[in-house]
Amino acid sequence: MSEICENWTEWLKKNRFAGQTPEMIEQTTKWLETVRDVILLYAEIEPNDVVLDIGTGTGLLAFKALEMQNCKGKVIFSDKFPDCLNDCQRILDQSCVTEGYQMLLCPCEHIALPESSVHKALMRSVLVHIVNKQPAICEVYRVLKPGGKFCAFEPIIRSNTRYWEILDPKYIDKYEDFKRVENEIMENPLDSLCNFDEKTLKMNLQIAGFSIPEVKVQEVKSNYIVQDNMVSAWFNNPPSPDQPSTKERYLKYFDEATVNKFIQDIQNYLTGREINLKSNAVFITAVK
C-alpha cells in the first residue's frame, strides 16, 4: 500500500512541481507530508471509518488515509474538478488499488452525500478558495455523524509576506502605487484568498454547530534563492482553476504594460537573491 504515496510523490514532481529546483521540490513535499500527517493524527482514523477528503485535489490526505485503513473502510475522494479525480484515479490504478475508496464529483458547498454519513471529514487548503465559507462548513457538519470529527489545514493568506516588503523601492517603478494596491488586494473582503483568519474560522465553526472547535495557529517560514522562472510563475499561475492569477488581480488597477514592467522589475531585482517569507496557517479540529 505504501506504493500509493510513492506514486503520488512522483506525480507531483513531474506535474505540479515541474520547473522547480530539486531543493524546492524536496522542501515543499516534506512540508505537504508534515501537514498531511498532522491532520491525520488529529483525525484519529479507525479501520472501518468512512473518511471524506473534501476538495481532495492531488489526493494528499485521501491516499494516506487509504493506506492507514488498508482498504478496510472507505475513503471518499471528493472534488468539484473532474481532472483532480481523474489524476487520483490514475495513481490508484497504477498502484493496483481496486477497493476501499469512492470518487465523488461535487463542490464542498453541496456535498453529494446523505446527512450523518461519514465518520471523519478532512480538508487542506479548500476554504481559502471559497468566498462565503459558512455554507461549506455547514455542509461538513451536515454530512458528519454525531461524534464525527472535522480536521483541516488552511493558510491565512492575509498574513503572508508581501511583495513590497522584500523589494527595494529604488529598483521598482511605481513602487508606492503597487504597495497600495497590494495592500488593498490582500484586505479585500470579497477575495476568498484573504477574507478570513483564525478568528472568523472559529466563528464559522461555532455557527455551524461544532462543539468547542480548536483553531491552532502555526507560523510557516521558508527561504530560498529566486530562480529565473519563479517570478513569472508567481504572477501568472492561478491559485486554482477558477481563481484569477496575481497578474489578473493587478490588471484591475493598472494597464498591462505597467503590470508587465512591474513583474520585470521584480524579476530583475530578486533573481539570484535569497528571500525569507513567512505566513500563518491554522490546523482545525472540531467535533459534531
Side-chain angles (χ1 to χ4, degrees):
M1 290 291 290
S2 63
E3 186 179 355
I4 300 175
C5 288
E6 291 176 4
N7 289 336
W8 169 81
T9 302
E10 287 304 311
W11 182 89
L12 287 180
K13 291 178 180 178
K14 294 177 182 177
N15 296 274
R16 182 173 175 180
F17 297 152
Q20 294 189 12
T21 66
E23 293 77 15
M24 291 183 66
I25 292 173
E26 182 179 4
Q27 184 181 39
T28 305
T29 302
K30 286 183 176 179
W31 173 76
L32 286 171
E33 290 172 345
T34 299
V35 169
R36 175 198 68 193
D37 292 345
V38 172
I39 293 173
L40 294 174
L41 177 66
Y42 288 149
E44 299 179 303
I45 294 172
E46 301 292 336
N48 295 313
D49 280 349
V50 176
V51 180
L52 173 64
D53 183 10
I54 304 166
T56 192
T58 63
L60 172 70
L61 303 175
F63 288 134
K64 190 64 177 182
L66 196 58
E67 288 190 347
M68 292 170 63
Q69 288 190 316
N70 198 26
C71 297
K72 292 180 180 178
K74 181 165 74 171
V75 175
I76 302 172
F77 293 69
S78 173
D79 207 289
K80 69 176 181 178
F81 297 114
D83 289 353
C84 291
L85 297 180
N86 291 340
D87 284 332
C88 290
Q89 185 65 62
R90 277 193 286 271
I91 291 172
L92 290 169
D93 292 344
Q94 185 179 353
S95 305
C96 300
V97 176
T98 59
E99 59 184 0
Y101 70 89
Q102 174 187 345
M103 296 291 170
L104 184 66
L105 181 64
C106 63
C108 61
E109 300 95 325
H110 301 286
I111 301 172
L113 290 173
E115 183 176 341
S116 303
S117 58
V118 304
H119 298 91
K120 308 289 166 57
L122 313 176
M123 185 182 287
R124 183 193 69 84
S125 301
V126 174
L127 296 173
V128 70
H129 299 299
I130 301 170
V131 175
N132 186 356
K133 293 155 178 54
Q134 191 63 62
I137 292 175
C138 287
E139 269 293 271
V140 177
Y141 184 87
R142 181 186 69 81
V143 300
L144 277 171
K145 294 176 179 288
K149 292 185 73 174
F150 172 43
C151 299
F153 169 92
E154 291 293 336
I156 307 300
I157 302 296
R158 66 164 61 164
S159 69
N160 280 5
T161 299
R162 303 187 180 182
Y163 290 119
W164 61 265
E165 295 181 277
I166 58 174
L167 299 173
D168 187 330
K170 293 184 296 184
Y171 299 94
I172 309 298
D173 192 29
K174 299 184 183 298
Y175 172 88
E176 290 296 335
D177 291 337
F178 277 97
K179 175 181 176 179
R180 173 183 54 79
V181 167
E182 182 177 10
N183 287 336
E184 185 173 332
I185 290 172
M186 295 289 278
E187 295 160 12
N188 181 1
L190 299 179
D191 191 328
S192 67
L193 296 182
C194 47
N195 68 352
F196 70 105
D197 59 20
E198 61 274 14
K199 293 179 182 178
T200 62
L201 286 176
K202 188 165 187 176
M203 182 176 65
N204 292 146
L205 292 162
Q206 291 170 332
I207 290 172
F210 285 102
S211 59
I212 318 177
E214 293 187 19
V215 181
K216 299 178 181 178
V217 180
Q218 178 188 70
E219 186 175 71
V220 180
K221 295 182 178 181
S222 64
N223 65 286
Y224 53 85
I225 295 175
V226 178
Q227 307 295 316
D228 287 337
N229 59 341
M230 287 182 185
V231 173
S232 177
W234 295 348
F235 281 89
N236 291 296
N237 293 347
S240 74
D242 58 350
Q243 288 272 6
S245 66
T246 300
K247 179 178 179 178
E248 290 170 329
R249 284 178 163 84
Y250 278 112
L251 286 173
K252 294 179 181 179
Y253 298 87
F254 305 101
D255 61 58
E256 187 162 15
T258 300
V259 175
N260 287 341
K261 177 65 164 55
F262 178 61
I263 296 172
Q264 188 62 54
D265 285 349
I266 292 179
Q267 180 168 309
N268 291 343
Y269 177 71
L270 287 183
T271 298
R273 293 178 183 269
E274 182 175 11
I275 59 173
N276 295 282
L277 307 175
K278 66 180 181 65
S279 177
N280 288 334
V282 294
F283 284 99
I284 295 169
T285 54
V287 178
K288 179 173 179 178

